[in-house]
Amino acid sequence: MMNKNFYAVIMAGGIGSRFWPVSRQNRPKQFIDILGAGKTLIQLTYERFSKICPPENIYIVTNESYRDTVREQLPDIQDEQVLCEPIMRNTAPCIAFACYKIARLNPDAVTVIAPSDHLILKEDLFGDSIEKAMTTALGQNVLLTLGIVPSRPDTGYGYVQYTEKKLNEHFHKVKTFTEKPNLELAQTFIRSGDFLWNAGIFIWNVKALKGAFERFLPEMHEIFQEGAPYFNTKKEADFIRTAYAQCTNISIDYAIMERADNVYVMPGNFGWSDLGTWGSLHSVKEKDERSNAINGKQVMTYETSDCMVHVPENKLVILQGMENFIVVDTGDVLMICKKSAEQQIKQIAGDVRQKEGDKFS
């Protein structure tokens, strides 16, 4: 029997610009079957949480322009479960919107906050971790997060350092959060053995979260607290438009998690990837004998290895003598890029927008 106080908030407002040219403004990567699994990333995320939380307790926070896409891809949810942001304002306002709304419905709610576009290979282990975290958060003034046991010194992830002090058998006190480090620092983190990748998954009860907002973001707390009478009414959308216009553009990590002293982390190892880049997709996809990950039915390779290839099914593609490349063909855009330069893709997408307007974005 599912706990009626368990709620999930799935954040689905991002553009996924590092997955350009497949991820576009009108259909970002969370709405695409980028894994070739027959389901989009948001559908897989919703299914994951529907095993933990009652379906009516799952909320999707997205941009107003994606409302219809969310409803089309998740037909089981009701209109009131889709929370539409009028403008992009990073994760702190997004989380405040969802949690203050849920608090109005159920002051005993425990919420798990998660991105809509991550990969979890070991679903059962993940579900166990989330349930342990939500049970721990019930009635306790704590902010919890899941950290991933690192398998390499990755410079694309943030890191969480923890201490020996424990909340219970699962959760360690957090010492520091570090933004994406350079390689040398990442290697030091791995050697020290007390650092985890920051998965951006948070668990807390709504009272603890509101207390943290009141302490560290008092202006934002005041905005959403004053809106309490409008939540879950016809006036909610108008209130949110006004509220977002007043909100600072700030992440929950920077605003609260890095500053609070009641933050605890549970190390996890459940086959997680944030699928942030084409290279991260290459690392989790099935590959041929020369380590090429290929999405496409008619691809022929010669002396080609370690490539990520994503091309239309009806297009014959021949690759010769390529090593460590990303090859993406969307019909209107062909991009060939070194895997080592994949962090430039966001910049490339911006340059294309400047030169060509919104035609390819």
Side-chain angles (χ1 to χ4, degrees):
M1 177 94 174
M2 285 183 187
N3 191 319
K4 63 177 177 26
N5 293 329
F6 284 4
Y7 288 75
V9 174
I10 299 171
M11 299 182 289
I15 294 168
S17 50
R18 287 181 296 170
F19 261 103
W20 187 84
V22 168
S23 185
R24 307 280 181 102
Q25 281 182 346
N26 64 342
R27 186 155 286 226
K29 69 165 177 166
Q30 60 268 29
F31 302 119
I32 298 167
D33 176 14
I34 206 128
L35 292 164
K39 289 173 182 168
T40 66
L41 293 175
I42 194 171
Q43 288 171 331
L44 292 169
T45 306
Y46 175 81
E47 280 183 13
R48 196 173 298 139
F49 285 109
S50 65
K51 294 169 189 164
I52 301 163
C53 304
E56 65 274 15
N57 288 5
I58 301 176
Y59 288 81
I60 315 294
V61 189
T62 191
N63 191 279
E64 275 181 354
S65 55
Y66 304 141
R67 181 204 301 266
D68 291 346
T69 309
V70 170
R71 294 293 284 114
E72 169 197 314
Q73 293 204 358
L74 303 176
D76 293 345
I77 64 172
Q78 304 302 309
D79 281 341
E80 58 269 21
Q81 290 169 264
V82 184
L83 313 190
C84 292
E85 297 184 285
I87 45 177
M88 288 180 81
R89 272 289 182 267
N90 217 314
T91 52
C94 158
I95 287 168
F97 177 9
C99 289
Y100 281 64
K101 176 184 169 77
I102 290 167
R104 186 72 174 165
L105 287 168
N106 181 354
D108 298 318
V110 173
T111 59
V112 52
I113 317 288
S116 57
D117 53 2
H118 288 186
L119 170 70
I120 307 287
L121 292 173
K122 300 171 185 171
E123 298 270 356
D124 291 350
L125 281 179
F126 177 78
D128 287 348
S129 298
I130 295 292
E131 285 191 42
K132 281 170 186 161
M134 296 187 89
T135 305
T136 299
L138 274 169
Q140 288 209 68
N141 184 28
V142 289
L143 307 175
L144 307 180
T145 185
L146 299 187
I148 309 301
V149 178
S151 56
R152 59 187 181 277
D154 201 301
T155 57
Y157 297 146
Y159 286 74
V160 185
Q161 185 184 22
Y162 62 92
T163 70
E164 285 305 304
K165 188 181 175 191
K166 285 187 161 188
L167 176 67
N168 59 22
E169 61 178 311
H170 307 299
F171 281 91
H172 291 259
K173 186 106 168 54
V174 168
K175 188 176 181 183
T176 58
F177 283 87
T178 308
E179 295 297 311
K180 296 170 184 175
N182 61 31
L183 184 58
E184 197 181 338
L185 193 54
Q187 286 167 338
T188 306
F189 288 172
I190 300 299
R191 279 197 299 272
S192 76
D194 56 356
F195 282 82
L196 304 165
W197 287 335
N198 181 358
I201 299 167
F202 308 110
I203 305 98
W204 42 58
N205 67 62
V206 288
K207 288 186 185 122
L209 190 271
K210 287 172 75 176
F213 266 92
E214 190 171 9
R215 183 176 171 196
F216 298 111
L217 281 175
E219 299 89 350
M220 204 177 288
H221 168 72
E222 212 170 286
I223 290 165
F224 285 99
Q225 193 61 11
E226 282 177 4
Y230 306 117
F231 282 121
N232 312 302
T233 72
K234 287 178 180 170
K235 293 181 177 174
E236 180 179 294
D238 286 340
F239 160 69
I240 288 298
R241 266 189 284 277
T242 310
Y244 264 65
Q246 302 169 61
C247 281
T248 323
N249 187 336
I250 192 166
S251 75
I252 197 79
D253 302 67
Y254 189 69
I256 290 175
M257 300 302 278
E258 292 178 18
R259 299 164 69 195
D261 54 7
N262 58 337
V263 181
Y264 295 85
V265 64
M266 176 160 65
N269 199 348
F270 33 76
W272 171 89
S273 168
D274 77 340
L275 289 181
T277 61
W278 285 108
S280 64
L281 180 61
H282 176 269
S283 66
V284 299
K285 287 277 290 177
E286 209 173 296
K287 298 178 232 349
D288 66 16
E289 64 281 358
R290 297 199 63 163
S291 198
N292 299 302
I294 296 172
N295 274 359
K297 293 273 174 71
Q298 301 179 86
V299 179
M300 296 168 67
T301 61
Y302 301 86
E303 294 94 49
T304 290
S305 58
D306 292 305
C307 288
M308 177 68 231
V309 183
H310 187 100
V311 296
E313 287 190 358
N314 60 354
K315 190 165 209 169
L316 175 62
V317 174
I318 294 103
L319 302 176
Q320 193 280 330
M322 298 189 78
E323 192 175 334
N324 272 306
F325 272 88
I326 298 162
V327 180
V328 181
D329 186 343
T330 59
D332 60 343
V333 176
L334 169 65
M335 183 186 75
I336 301 167
C337 166
K338 282 185 176 174
K339 261 204 344 240
S340 58
E342 67 173 2
Q343 297 295 342
Q344 288 179 32
I345 291 175
K346 191 173 185 175
Q347 177 63 46
I348 291 167
D351 293 345
V352 169
R353 193 176 305 118
Q354 221 169 1
K355 188 168 184 286
E356 302 286 348
D358 285 339
K359 185 179 172 189
F360 301 106
S361 58

